[in-house]
Amino acid sequence: MPLRWFDRQLCAAAVGVLALSLPACTSLAPLRDPARQRVLLTEGPVRIDVIVEGRGPAVVLLPSSQRDSEDFDDVAARIAAAGFKVLRPQLRGMGGSAGPMHALSLHVLAADVAATVRQLGDGRAVLVGHAFGHFVARVADLDHPQEVRGVVIAGGAARTFPAGMAESLRIASDPTQPREARLRGLRHAFFAPGHDPEPWLVGWHPALGEAYRRAGAVPAKDQWWPVSHAPLLDLQGADDPWRPPASRNELKDVLGDKVTVQVIPDASHALFPEQPAAVAQAIVAWINTLPP
């Protein structure tokens, strides 16, 4: 039985048993690394399932569209080993996280991130948003600037991304599609040549796709894309079709010195499973340049 499946089932079972009696912050069973724990937070009617590892200044990892924070295992361990407390909140409907899904928006998701930072991150954190996760991170910076030390945009698409990308995502994330069609979608939109896309045949939450597509449109991108309180690291895969070379500096051209652009060679949109060591190193090095 895959350990990843077991971790999820363990957390889900714990949530079912404890949901009526949990205090504000409850530690669930430790995972395979004793320094890595599952914590369930409560914030009003919301439950936020958070994977926690390491000690030090807080770094929050936010996953890409229709995927969960289990994707960050390798990079999270590397960042924790560098002296940081890594927090991985699951989005609502994933893992043990639960809360109202009607009127879901980036504001709502950002509030869940802010609650995680307040309860587990000593009130201030660097947010790392992978693809869709950077929408949430940027709106968290907009709504809760006092809790955001910096934002890493990892695999962020161009402001207007090329045609065909959304269709490849739709096929790749749909387990009812033929396997070979899904692999073609993953190779087209997520993985650079020479990288194995098969691990990403699993780990999707397609039933939540529509809810999160609607959430990603509120507020409109024009309200948050050209604005930032915190410094930004724009971390791009060199072979990411969502981010053509002509768009490399489009955010820096708007926000100037607030933005540091770094390109990771031999990586596409998936980025984290493709180049975990280079991604972790880039994030840690940039964080170490920030004011406390």
Side-chain angles (χ1 to χ4, degrees), residues 85-156:
K85 184 178 188 180
V86 182
L87 308 175
R88 290 190 271 164
Q90 302 283 23
L91 296 176
R92 294 187 189 191
M94 302 182 191
S97 292
M101 297 295 288
H102 65 279
L104 198 64
S105 69
L106 294 173
H107 292 302
V108 171
L109 298 173
D112 290 351
V113 172
T116 301
V117 174
R118 286 195 302 272
Q119 293 196 40
L120 292 174
D122 294 326
R124 193 159 170 81
V126 170
L127 309 183
V128 180
H130 182 204
F132 173 82
H134 102 270
F135 288 33
V136 181
R138 297 288 306 280
V139 174
D141 171 68
L142 189 71
D143 292 350
H144 309 276
Q146 69 282 0
E147 287 154 1
V148 180
R149 184 181 170 202
V151 174
V152 178
I153 300 165

Side-chain angles (χ1 to χ4, degrees), residues 10-28:
L10 178 63
C11 183
V15 171
V17 172
L18 298 176
L20 296 179
S21 59
L22 279 168
C25 181
T26 302
S27 180
L28 302 184

